[in-house]
Amino acid sequence: MKKIYLTIGLCLITTLASAQWITDMSCNNRAEKIADKAITHLINVETPIAVGMAEAALMMDKDCGSAKLVLINAASSGKYGSRAAQLEKLDTKKFTEQEKAWVKLMGASSEEFEGTVKQVAARYPAVPLFAFWESVSLKDGKDKLAKYIEEFPEYASPAYNIMSYRYADGTYENKPDMTKAVETAQKIFLSHDGPNAHDSIAEHYANTGEYKKAFEHQMKALDYAGTGSAYGYNAQMYYSHTNMAALTDSIEAKTKLRITYQMKNDIENLKQFYSDKVGMIGCNSNMEPCIFYASLEEEDANHTWNRWDVKDLKVYFSPDMKTALTTFNNDGEYTMKGSDSPVAYKTRASEVWHYENGWKLMHSNFAPLALGSGIPKTE
């Protein structure tokens, strides 16, 4: 009996080891294994890794159809050319019937895809790639992903990923369930260990305001995919959310330092707060038309500052933490040239900062308050 069980177990292991997203590829053995890995990353929304794997497979076998199809499926424009253009010039004579079915799916329009994938999946019921795509479509808030997971547990990772987002947006239960969203996304690791799972989990945590956990998972995605990957953007955003108090203090300090340089008309030191790429729009408290500053140059001031204090400064951030809006009041005093009489300066202000290799001021708006004056009008 033990020998029989052992034989069955070995057969099962062999079957599992040889299973593939496409069960019949036009590739040699070495290229076939790499192409299957490429499809795994493609279907798990890890496109750069999928492209690298597919190119590696083609180095092993230049006629590997599945590797060519990964590259085309990953393409929309740019380096790899548009999908339509590549399909048009594709030579499929050496392709297997399954690969040709994949070509048919890629050539289908958005309106045709659902019907086409249903036909292809019915013709090849043992092919995980087609079964997955056929399971994704929604009807009355339901899909076939749970059934797909039962039939293809080794290839369940992309199904869990989609399901996690459907729990998050309320598709399944008519209201968001972030606990189930995270739990479902964590099941991705049962069949695939890749960066997108961490990216999805991080996004779910971020949507519940748990930015520390979001940052931890995003860094795992970034560590896997490398610093040049798209995961870096969200990593920076989540990190900024966890350090909002420090960023607030930083912008407050920058505002006060900038005002100090403004009082002295110190253009060289003021330049650090402005972007040469974007410029800055200034709406001064003399209520003259707003000015676009493409660059900063020293101005002939008709007054001298005696004092300029910033009070009640508040900082508000955009969700992506790339833009900050500040509001504050100003209390000060200046003296016009040729006069000995100081003028009370009282204004309110709002400013917009954008993060571009450091915080840069994009827009500044000052308006006089009732009990004081803004800066004097230009002559």
Side-chain angles (χ1 to χ4, degrees), residues 178 182 201-215 238 241-242 244:
M178 299 311 298
V182 172
I201 294 170
E203 187 174 346
H204 296 325
Y205 276 130
N207 286 334
T208 61
E210 297 181 79
Y211 289 106
K212 185 176 181 180
K213 290 182 179 178
F215 177 67
Y238 301 149
H241 272 285
T242 62
M244 192 175 293

Side-chain angles (χ1 to χ4, degrees), residues 40-69:
T40 298
H41 288 290
L42 174 73
I43 211 72
N44 280 284
V45 204
E46 296 159 356
T47 306
I49 305 172
V51 168
M53 289 280 190
E55 290 177 338
L58 288 170
M59 292 175 66
M60 300 293 176
D61 181 355
K62 63 182 178 62
D63 295 320
C64 179
S66 289
K68 293 179 181 179
L69 294 179

Side-chain angles (χ1 to χ4, degrees), residues 202-260:
E203 187 174 346
H204 296 325
Y205 276 130
N207 286 334
T208 61
E210 297 181 79
Y211 289 106
K212 185 176 181 180
K213 290 182 179 178
F215 177 67
E216 289 171 356
H217 279 279
Q218 197 67 26
M219 284 304 297
K220 290 178 181 178
L222 188 59
D223 287 344
Y224 190 111
T227 54
S229 73
Y231 301 118
Y233 182 90
N234 281 350
Q236 178 65 47
M237 176 173 64
Y238 301 149
Y239 177 79
S240 296
H241 272 285
T242 62
N243 289 272
M244 192 175 293
L247 287 175
T248 299
D249 291 344
S250 174
I251 291 177
E252 182 175 350
K254 286 178 182 293
T255 300
K256 292 180 177 180
L257 183 61
R258 183 181 62 79
I259 295 298
T260 299

Side-chain angles (χ1 to χ4, degrees), residues 285 330-332 334 343-347 367-375:
S285 56
N330 303 276
D331 182 83
Y334 62 84
V343 178
Y345 173 76
K346 294 183 183 296
T347 62
L369 293 172
L371 299 178
S373 300
I375 61 173

